[in-house]
Amino acid sequence: MAGRLADRLLEAHVAHEVAALRERPAQLAVAELDRLLGLAGGVRLDDVLGRDQVKGVALKYVASHRLPGAIPEVAGEIARRVRSHPANDIPLGELVERRQVEELVTVVSELRTLRNRLLSGLVSSPGLHAGVGGLVHGVATGGVRQGLRIARRVPGLGTGIGLGERAAGGLVEGLDRRSRELAEHGAGVLLGYLGDRALPDVSDEELRAAVLEVWDAVSTRPVRELTDAVSDEQVIDMCGAVYSLWLDLRTSPYISALVEAGVDHFFDTYGQTPLGDLLAEFGIQRSDLAEEAERFVPSVVAGLDRAGLLEELVRPRLADFYASDAARELLDARDE
């Protein structure tokens, strides 16, 4: 008797839940969200997560999770679509403002110690130093394109120079004479910063002015001139090279140390913070979450319903209770 009643109650409960999901999916989702956020206000991060747990998950997906080999191909196909999109007709100067370039150059120029160590290491290589000197000479005598062609023959500079040659050469060819002179002068100063001149001979202000000269010369050109300078094959090769580099780096002790240090800092900073405050700290507001729930939940529920899966999603969660000994005991004792 109790078993038959339990089955009838299960069917009625499943029908009730499914009807509610069909009629007001967004309202139910937002109500659940509000309940969760209400509970989160009194629970700290340390109460629900351990830093070792988070480190384990982070290291798994950074260092040991198997990545599909199709990633470079997919990335290459996406890049192909992006580079052929009509949006690439926008001039560079409309995409990135000169003010933003100035700010970036200023920040980089202030990193004097790091920059000088890096550049000193570069120019200490005789082969690289000679090659950069040839590149500067090429810019001075034959323009950016010839200088880049010279640089391609220098060991250590060949990788990636082909892309730079086509991009820079294509842009410079499209400029008027005065803009071309500015671009080539700026390029010469930039390359001289690495090449024949001693490091102190090129001041931060000269470096800044050189970058802005190059920018002013090319800022009126459309982004398409950059994207068209790179072939589909080069895009795929570049994606493959970056992917291979990441595969090698991800298993290194250095990357693992960075991940663990990042998790430790996050827990040291926010471990005692209530989850509700933590969400607000990172700009995740209740209104944003509710908006996304109202946007996605109805379509997901409707799709499951069309596929005949909505009831199957609800039933197992309820069936365990109605088949339990506790439910049967309650039903047996209903008349007592």
Side-chain angles (χ1 to χ4, degrees):
M1 184 67 176
R4 290 196 299 272
L5 182 55
D7 291 339
R8 290 165 57 193
L9 285 172
L10 171 61
E11 294 304 319
H13 198 169
V14 170
H16 171 79
E17 294 290 333
V18 170
L21 285 171
R22 286 171 176 163
E23 293 170 6
R24 52 184 193 282
Q27 295 91 321
L28 290 176
V30 172
E32 289 296 324
L33 171 65
D34 287 335
R35 276 193 284 271
L36 286 173
L37 291 177
L39 295 173
V43 181
R44 299 173 306 181
L45 177 63
D46 280 340
D47 294 331
V48 295
L49 285 177
R51 66 178 66 200
D52 289 338
Q53 292 175 305
V54 176
K55 286 180 182 178
V57 173
L59 289 173
K60 170 188 174 182
Y61 286 100
V62 169
S64 60
H65 183 67
R66 183 177 179 181
L67 297 175
I71 286 181
E73 183 178 351
V74 172
E77 290 299 327
I78 293 174
R80 286 181 182 180
R81 292 199 177 194
V82 169
R83 64 192 292 269
S84 62
H85 197 281
N88 289 314
D89 292 331
I90 185 175
L92 286 170
E94 292 184 20
L95 184 64
V96 180
E97 296 181 4
R98 192 179 195 273
R99 169 186 56 81
Q100 296 170 312
V101 177
E102 290 177 347
E103 292 174 355
L104 178 61
V105 174
T106 298
V107 170
V108 172
S109 66
E110 291 174 352
L111 300 175
R112 179 182 298 273
T113 301
L114 175 62
R115 189 184 68 238
N116 284 355
R117 285 185 180 180
L118 175 62
L119 299 182
S120 295
L122 288 174
V123 299
S124 66
S125 167
L128 186 59
H129 187 277
V132 172
L135 178 54
V136 175
H137 177 73
V139 169
T141 59
V144 173
R145 167 163 290 191
Q146 180 176 336
L148 287 170
R149 283 175 178 165
I150 295 172
R152 292 189 70 185
R153 297 195 293 270
V154 180
L157 280 183
T159 302
I161 286 291
L163 300 182
E165 177 184 353
R166 296 190 63 185
L171 282 173
V172 170
E173 280 185 352
L175 303 176
D176 58 35
R177 180 175 178 179
R178 177 54 182 159
S179 295
R180 188 181 308 187
E181 291 174 354
L182 288 173
E184 292 184 354
H185 174 264
V189 173
L190 291 174
L191 296 169
Y193 198 69
L194 285 172
D196 290 337
R197 305 177 188 182
L199 290 175
D201 287 350
V202 178
S203 67
D204 291 342
E205 186 55 37
E206 286 178 302
L207 176 63
R208 181 176 180 276
V211 173
L212 294 178
E213 280 184 4
V214 175
W215 175 255
D216 289 337
V218 302
S219 61
T220 60
R221 312 305 300 174
V223 175
R224 184 172 304 284
E225 291 190 6
L226 283 175
T227 59
D228 287 349
V230 184
S231 69
D232 291 342
E233 290 73 19
Q234 287 174 317
V235 169
I236 295 175
D237 288 345
M238 184 166 54
C239 292
V242 172
Y243 179 70
S244 297
L245 175 63
W246 170 242
L247 288 180
D248 291 337
L249 286 177
R250 68 196 291 255
T251 58
S252 68
Y254 177 73
I255 296 297
S256 297
L258 292 183
V259 170
E260 293 186 359
V263 173
D264 282 333
H265 175 75
F266 188 82
F267 273 84
D268 290 342
T269 305
Y270 297 107
Q272 298 297 307
T273 304
L275 295 180
D277 295 343
L278 183 59
L279 291 174
E281 178 78 13
F282 286 91
I284 303 175
Q285 304 295 331
R286 182 265 177 197
S287 57
D288 297 319
L289 295 173
E291 179 183 350
E292 302 310 325
E294 291 172 348
R295 177 178 299 162
F296 290 105
V297 171
S299 61
V300 171
V301 170
L304 291 171
D305 198 17
R306 286 193 300 271
L309 299 175
L310 190 57
E311 183 175 325
E312 293 303 315
L313 182 68
V314 173
R315 181 180 295 278
R317 182 171 58 88
L318 303 178
D320 284 344
F321 168 73
Y322 287 103
S324 67
D325 292 338
R328 298 303 172 93
E329 289 177 6
L330 288 171
L331 293 171
D332 286 338
R334 65 189 184 281
D335 294 328
E336 294 179 4

